[in-house]
Amino acid sequence: MDASSLSSHSLEPRHLQLLREIAARGTLAAVAKATHRTPSALSQQLRTAERELAVKLVEPDSRGIRLTPAGQLLAEGADEVIASLARVQARLDAATGEPRGSVSIGTLPSAGQVLLPQLLHRLRGSAITLTLDDFDIAEADFAARALDADIVISHSISGGVPRGAHGLISTLLAREPIDVVLPADHPLAAKAELSPGDVADLEWVGVPQGYPFDAIPVVIEQLTGAPVHRRLRLRDNHLLESLVGAGAGSACCQGSAPARHPAWCCGHWWGSAPPAASWR
């Protein structure tokens, strides 16, 4: 299929959006669930798109359907078309008054706690409506959330861009120090800054494998050559903090997190290992 074959037919953004969703999510059932529509309604839209474009867009597959080469071509161009329409809409809004519309944001809780109140304050009285969601997931899972939100705020400890997000537009919002949470009576609690060598022998109360802060013990192992002992792996930060206060071990948390527990204290991480988490 070339450009001339489409010149006399209708290219509608809604059709491109559907093809983009199929390419990203893999099955029509997954698209239906994400968009709160029925598979039959989506099938009808596909048939309408094929009729209007006079080209086959999908074909049978072991999972149900897959995009044809023509469908894949249009799916790959969907982002470009949708972004162009959004830029034109933004210019129109600027020319006729002020930006308006709905913006959906998904965020990890710690970043949302710091950034969202300021954002809500700045947008008060504007014509922009925010839809907010929060999730505490593994770093590699944040990129998939971009399918359902206009903006996703994630953190990256493993590299410059969160894992899986290299095909997305990524903007650095902030860097925050990583705190090592220790029992208040621990010998290291008196130090304001800690190095990899200081914490190599600690027992860690950590997070599940793949979660962002699990990268910190991994880096300690790489820098010191000594294995790190993970005593427990749990997801909830408040639970981890309580266990540290009870003497179960040490943990990592965001440097912006306030000290809430009388039985533990924080020492800032520094040295050769990643000194900060990046919000993107």
Side-chain angles (χ1 to χ4, degrees):
M1 182 184 70
D2 55 30
S4 62
S5 65
L6 293 175
S7 59
S8 61
H9 302 289
S10 174
L11 261 178
E12 295 194 24
R14 63 189 180 96
H15 295 332
L16 296 178
Q17 180 72 34
L18 175 56
L19 295 172
R20 174 196 183 206
E21 290 284 332
I22 294 173
R25 301 184 189 275
T27 66
L28 208 58
V31 176
K33 181 179 180 180
T35 59
H36 307 290
R37 300 169 67 186
T38 64
S40 60
L42 297 179
S43 295
Q44 177 61 41
Q45 184 179 340
L46 281 172
R47 289 192 292 270
T48 300
E50 290 180 332
R51 183 172 62 253
E52 293 178 357
L53 294 171
V55 67
K56 193 70 173 173
L57 299 175
V58 296
E59 58 191 7
D61 180 72
S62 58
R63 295 191 299 174
I65 61 170
R66 66 182 176 188
L67 297 178
T68 63
Q72 186 64 42
L73 184 152
L74 293 175
E76 291 171 356
D79 283 337
E80 182 180 349
V81 173
I82 293 169
S84 295
L85 290 174
R87 286 192 291 268
V88 173
Q89 182 66 54
R91 290 199 295 269
L92 177 62
D93 291 342
T96 57
E98 61 176 337
R100 62 186 64 249
S102 177
V103 178
S104 58
I105 300 177
T107 180
L108 72 155
S110 63
Q113 181 180 353
V114 175
L115 299 175
L116 294 184
Q118 302 176 53
L119 178 61
L120 289 171
H121 178 74
R122 290 182 62 183
L123 294 180
R124 186 174 298 153
S126 75
I128 296 177
T129 301
L130 289 181
T131 301
L132 304 178
D133 189 15
D134 65 304
F135 25 75
D136 191 4
I137 55 179
E139 180 180 325
D141 295 331
F142 277 102
R145 297 301 178 111
L147 294 171
D148 302 310
D150 298 312
I151 298 171
V152 174
I153 304 174
S154 69
H155 47 188
S156 177
I157 297 178
S158 63
V161 177
R163 283 174 290 170
H166 293 279
L168 303 174
I169 297 173
S170 178
T171 301
L172 179 64
L173 298 177
R175 291 188 183 275
E176 62 174 347
I178 297 297
D179 282 346
V180 178
V181 185
L182 301 161
D185 60 354
H186 194 281
L188 291 177
K191 299 188 67 171
E193 295 180 327
L194 300 173
S195 69
D198 291 329
V199 299
D201 295 330
L202 295 178
E203 285 194 334
W204 291 89
V205 179
V207 294
Q209 190 171 10
Y211 277 58
F213 288 131
D214 191 48
I216 297 297
V218 171
V219 172
I220 294 172
E221 291 176 329
Q222 293 172 345
L223 291 172
T224 63
V228 168
H229 180 221
R230 297 168 178 81
R231 185 173 181 183
L232 296 168
R233 287 185 182 269
L234 297 165
R235 294 176 178 82
D236 185 78
N237 285 335
H238 297 299
L239 177 57
L240 292 175
E241 292 162 4
S242 297
L243 294 176
V244 170
S250 305
C252 289
C253 69
Q254 287 89 350
S256 58
R260 293 180 295 273
H261 199 289
W264 58 260
C265 63
C266 294
H268 286 304
W269 178 275
W270 74 283
S272 303
S278 298
W279 288 344
R280 293 183 174 272

